[in-house]
Amino acid sequence: MTATWQLCASCGTETSEIDPHPRCPACRGLLEIRHQPPAAGGNALRAVFDARAGVRHGPLASGVWRFSEVVLPTAGEHILSYPEGNTPLLASAVVARWTGVGATGGGDLLLKHEGQNPTGSFKDRGMTVGVTQARRIKARAVACASTGNTAAALAAYAALAGLPALVMVPKGQVAFGKLAQALAYGARTLVVRGSFDQCLELADQASDRLGVYLLNSVNPFRLEGQKTIVLELLQQLAWQPPAWILVPAGNLGNTAAFGKALREACEWGLIDRVPRLGAVQAAGAAPFAASFREGFARPHRVDAHTVATAINIGNPVSYDRAARAIRDTNGVVTTVTDDEILEAKAVVDAAGIGCEPASAAAVAGARRLVREGVILPGDRVVVVLTGHVLKDPGIVTYYHQERQPAPPYANRPVEIDPRLEEVERVVNA
Ligand code: F0G
């Protein structure tokens, strides 16, 4: 075996890193990427990563490939990078106050804004690695099912690579900005009369039948890229881990990737203490939370219904690896209502930061965990904002202009005739 290989989490089959199957060829279980520990860990490895922080050109300018030793060390000349990553870690007194984090006791809240990636979501971090791998195995085309963001990222990165892309999205359940991106970047777009969960089954079968490389988070190379959200935020905190990392949870790829990143970061001496993971689901799409409450005795499956369309998922594919992530980090899974999501979003948006509804779920989750006494007054909390405010303009219009009665943070536009007195009347009201 080389320094990197693939291992089936179900049956233990090992395959080489350039085996082209997105699932275990023996049992169709989920694969995991394994790396030999880097030659030098701890301080030396931190120093390697830190020395690259200012690089402007080439793959090392990417917030993913900066960590290539622990992502895909052998990708070499195949690397396809926008570049992506290098997203800001923001403080906002307004958002912190709304959540209650740090109200007493010296804790604080930081927002890791993954919406600042090239296509406006964290998916670009997984996609740069996924499409790099597709080039490496000489895939003819790439495909995914998506609630929108994966489709946008796949479409863009496939276009950059000159590969045909096929995306499947659930009809009527994809935010406008995301569908627009898939079309604009030139992906063959199938609007499926069904749910995301049905789209994923279909994409899985179709990729087998048509020999198209599947780039959902089933694909373990995607997760290697998404690990860098955690690595980059740790680096931004000078490798001093926060008490908590909160993330919205749908198909559970990110939760799984975060768990793996933290496990490896500890093993390789990048950090000496593991933050607790908080996975936040929308109450109407919360199979993982239901299962958490039962000590992960069995996976649940639900009919999903939430305004946060990105996480409107009832049968998450990375269930087992995400459960391990929560167990390993002494983490929690919690839920928030659609009203809480929309209020959190209005607060984040009005703070000048902005995010899409699924991202706001994690902010609402912070408030809930503070109120329940799970997040403590002295805790530093990093919330990952997974997507950009412009992804879902429809929900903004609904909240601010259409919802009756006006919700707490509604910013109603006022229509006027073109006369100065009208402006004065509104401004002085
Ligand atoms: N936040 C956003 C903005 C997302 O787009 C997604 C997933 C999640 C959170 C949840 O992450 O699935 O790893 O638990 N979007 C996928 C998609 C499903 O198709 O774009 P997860």
Side-chain angles (χ1 to χ4, degrees):
M1 283 289 165
T2 53
T4 297
W5 67 99
Q6 307 187 56
L7 170 73
C8 174
S10 303
C11 75
T13 295
E14 290 188 356
T15 53
S16 95
E17 63 179 319
I18 49 166
D19 184 281
H21 298 90
R23 285 179 180 271
C24 173
C27 77
R28 290 190 53 78
L30 292 186
L31 294 166
E32 185 180 317
I33 304 299
R34 287 296 182 92
H35 303 288
Q36 293 271 300
N43 260 334
L45 190 56
R46 283 196 296 258
V48 169
F49 296 155
D50 290 349
R52 293 172 183 160
V55 173
R56 297 244 177 108
H57 304 289
L60 294 180
S62 155
V64 172
W65 298 103
R66 177 160 79 247
F67 303 102
S68 58
E69 283 79 355
V70 296
V71 171
L72 195 55
T74 47
E77 81 274 18
H78 299 285
I79 291 178
L80 180 93
S81 171
Y82 195 98
E84 48 292 307
N86 298 312
T87 59
L89 192 58
L90 306 167
S92 163
V94 182
V95 180
R97 203 174 313 121
W98 185 82
T99 62
V101 172
T104 57
D108 64 348
L109 180 85
L110 295 165
L111 303 166
K112 176 72 174 156
H113 207 326
E114 288 296 304
Q116 306 289 335
N117 271 294
T119 75
S121 86
F122 71 93
K123 303 289 182 180
D124 296 336
R125 290 188 188 258
M127 214 46 85
T128 179
V129 182
V131 171
T132 292
Q133 184 66 10
R135 280 160 40 124
R136 223 173 154 202
I137 63 164
K138 303 192 168 43
R140 286 187 297 120
V142 290
C144 73
S146 179
T147 56
N149 281 325
T150 303
L154 180 97
Y157 279 81
L160 289 170
L163 280 171
L166 175 69
V167 307
M168 299 181 199
V169 296
K171 183 176 178 187
Q173 297 171 56
V174 175
F176 198 63
K178 304 176 189 181
L179 187 57
Q181 285 178 294
L183 299 176
Y185 295 133
R188 194 90 183 97
T189 303
L190 304 184
V191 177
V192 179
R193 292 187 284 269
S195 67
F196 166 79
D197 300 294
Q198 290 171 312
C199 290
L200 184 52
E201 262 186 63
L202 196 60
D204 220 347
Q205 292 166 4
S207 76
D208 249 10
R209 178 80 65 90
L210 306 174
V212 172
Y213 193 50
L214 185 67
L215 277 176
N216 274 100
S217 55
V218 170
N219 187 309
F221 292 94
R222 283 265 319 272
L223 302 195
E224 292 308 291
Q226 287 172 208
K227 288 190 321 194
T228 63
I229 302 171
V230 165
L231 295 172
E232 192 174 271
L233 78 83
L234 290 170
Q235 184 175 41
Q236 285 165 312
L237 295 173
W239 306 102
Q240 297 300 311
W244 287 93
I245 299 175
L246 301 192
V247 63
N251 216 16
L252 302 178
N254 242 2
T255 308
F258 285 22
K260 186 168 192 279
L262 291 170
R263 196 156 61 236
E264 292 172 347
C266 243
E267 271 170 32
W268 300 335
L270 291 172
I271 52 173
D272 54 12
R273 166 168 63 78
V274 178
R276 299 181 72 183
L277 277 184
V280 185
Q281 296 210 286
F288 193 51
S291 173
F292 170 74
R293 282 194 293 275
E294 297 172 350
F296 293 125
R298 65 181 176 96
H300 282 244
R301 197 188 257 237
V302 302
D303 259 339
H305 296 286
T306 169
V307 289
T309 51
I311 51 173
N312 196 35
I313 295 173
N315 186 22
V317 75
S318 288
Y319 175 89
D320 286 331
R321 44 197 187 191
R324 177 172 178 206
I326 297 297
R327 272 199 220 101
D328 281 359
T329 62
N330 188 25
V332 300
V333 186
T334 192
T335 61
V336 291
T337 64
D338 279 2
D339 277 350
E340 290 175 289
I341 290 173
L342 291 177
E343 187 172 325
K345 176 174 154 55
V347 171
V348 173
D349 290 355
I353 292 170
C355 67
E356 69 164 281
S359 316
V363 176
R367 183 169 75 159
R368 180 161 285 222
L369 292 173
V370 167
R371 287 182 175 177
E372 290 172 351
V374 179
I375 290 177
L376 301 174
D379 286 348
R380 164 167 276 178
V381 179
V382 176
V383 174
V384 179
L385 299 180
T386 46
H388 197 278
V389 65
L390 289 175
K391 287 280 188 176
D392 193 349
I395 202 78
V396 177
T397 308
Y398 166 71
Y399 184 90
H400 290 288
Q401 294 186 234
E402 293 163 9
R403 198 170 176 194
Q404 297 294 349
Y409 292 85
N411 179 22
R412 292 273 202 251
V414 184
E415 190 175 317
I416 60 164
D417 289 323
R419 292 205 313 270
L420 185 57
E421 311 86 81
E422 295 246 331
V423 177
E424 272 183 324
R425 179 174 58 79
V426 175
V427 169
N428 295 330

